[in-house]
């Protein structure tokens, strides 16, 4: 195995881009339209890659996909929570900043699609 990239299934990619691109600084490297909307994108920030795929696009690709919400939890290690904290000013926190028993400083939010995103500085 060489690489693992999360592919988050979302209702509308356009609703998620302000969170990932505008607030967190990811860049869009691949964009695939699905009718008048986006069906798929690849986002990159440094060595981190994330894919977003619309529910409509997934259902065309994989007929067996169950309808309804699909949720994931992402754990992103960062050097410093300061820039993340600043980027997420005003964004609702699921778990306020904390120090875990294993010494990580973490803060946890939900992205616009409802996925948990934990940022951790070790």
């Amino acid at each position: 195995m060489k690489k693992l990239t999360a592919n988050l299934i979302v209702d509308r990619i356009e609703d998620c881009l302000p969170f990932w691109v505008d607030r967190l600084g990811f860049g869009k490297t691949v964009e695939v339209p699905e009718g008048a909307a986006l069906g798929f994108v690849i986002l990159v920030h440094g060595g981190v890659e994330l894919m977003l795929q619309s529910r409509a696009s997934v259902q065309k690709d994989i007929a067996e996909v169950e309808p309804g919400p699909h949720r994931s939890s992402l754990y992103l290690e960062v050097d410093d929570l300061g820039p993340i904290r600043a980027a997420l000013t005003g964004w609702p926190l699921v778990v306020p900043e904390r120090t875990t028993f294993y010494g990580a400083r973490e803060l946890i939010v939900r992205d616009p699609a409802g996925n948990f995103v934990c940022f951790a500085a070790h």
Side-chain angles (χ1 to χ4, degrees):
M1 292 184 217
K2 295 173 69 175
K3 181 179 175 182
L4 175 66
T5 302
N7 183 11
L8 300 180
I9 300 169
V10 302
D11 288 328
R12 282 183 29 86
I13 291 170
E14 293 81 355
D15 295 341
C16 298
L17 293 177
F19 178 80
W20 291 107
V21 175
D22 301 340
R23 285 185 178 259
L24 298 175
F26 278 75
K28 195 176 356 164
T29 61
V30 173
E31 180 177 300
V32 178
E34 180 76 33
L38 290 171
F40 177 80
V41 297
I42 296 177
L43 305 174
V44 175
H45 190 302
V48 176
E49 183 177 71
L50 176 67
M51 299 185 293
L52 303 177
Q53 190 169 5
S54 72
R55 186 174 315 285
S57 173
V58 171
Q59 288 173 330
K60 283 185 177 183
D61 285 348
I62 308 168
E64 293 79 16
V65 147
E66 296 292 325
H70 295 85
R71 300 286 184 257
S72 293
S73 178
L74 301 177
Y75 187 86
L76 292 165
E77 289 187 31
V78 298
D79 291 327
D80 178 9
L81 281 180
I84 299 298
R85 192 182 311 107
L88 294 175
T89 298
W91 196 268
L93 298 175
V94 173
V95 175
E97 193 169 327
R98 66 181 182 187
T99 300
T100 65
F101 71 90
Y102 47 91
R105 292 287 304 156
E106 298 179 342
L107 63 88
I108 302 173
V109 298
R110 283 185 190 261
D111 74 357
N115 300 292
F116 290 108
V117 184
C118 176
F119 297 94
H122 293 265

